[in-house]
Amino acid sequence: MRKLFIYISMLPLLLIILAGVFIETNIIWLCIPFALLSIIAIYDLLQKKHAIRRNFPIVGHFRYLLESFRPEIMQYFVETNTEG
């Protein structure tokens, strides 16, 4: 319920930015990233595969991004108990 409140509270900000686009066309660069993040967040809320992305919509992507770098970091910087 709390997540739904957060996304509903984002709607007035999006409407203010969209209204600013009609007044000043240079402000559209503010609207594009906000709209993309909103679309990603809504998709994450509706998907059922990953609980982390469903509970933490935008931040969950960073976890999976960092997991993709884990083998390289382990290879060069971290020594496991079975090595060395």
Side-chain angles (χ1 to χ4, degrees):
M1 189 67 183
R2 189 182 86 202
K3 289 184 294 185
L4 184 62
F5 174 73
I6 291 171
Y7 291 113
I8 290 174
S9 66
M10 288 172 38
L11 287 175
L13 181 60
L14 181 61
L15 292 175
I16 290 170
I17 291 174
L18 287 174
V21 168
F22 292 115
I23 296 170
E24 181 73 34
T25 56
N26 293 335
I27 209 164
I28 196 166
W29 298 110
L30 292 175
C31 183
I32 291 172
F34 186 76
L36 289 175
L37 288 176
S38 298
I39 291 169
I40 291 171
I42 291 169
Y43 173 76
D44 286 343
L45 283 175
L46 297 177
Q47 61 89 24
K48 302 285 185 201
K49 189 174 180 181
H50 300 283
I52 290 177
R53 284 186 14 209
R54 188 171 52 245
N55 292 331
F56 307 101
I58 303 297
V59 180
H61 285 279
F62 290 115
R63 177 186 184 235
Y64 292 113
L65 177 71
L66 292 175
E67 274 186 2
S68 68
F69 296 136
R70 185 174 188 264
E72 288 83 9
I73 292 172
M74 292 292 292
Q75 179 180 1
Y76 292 111
F77 299 114
V78 179
E79 184 174 326
T80 63
N81 292 333
T82 59
E83 296 175 351

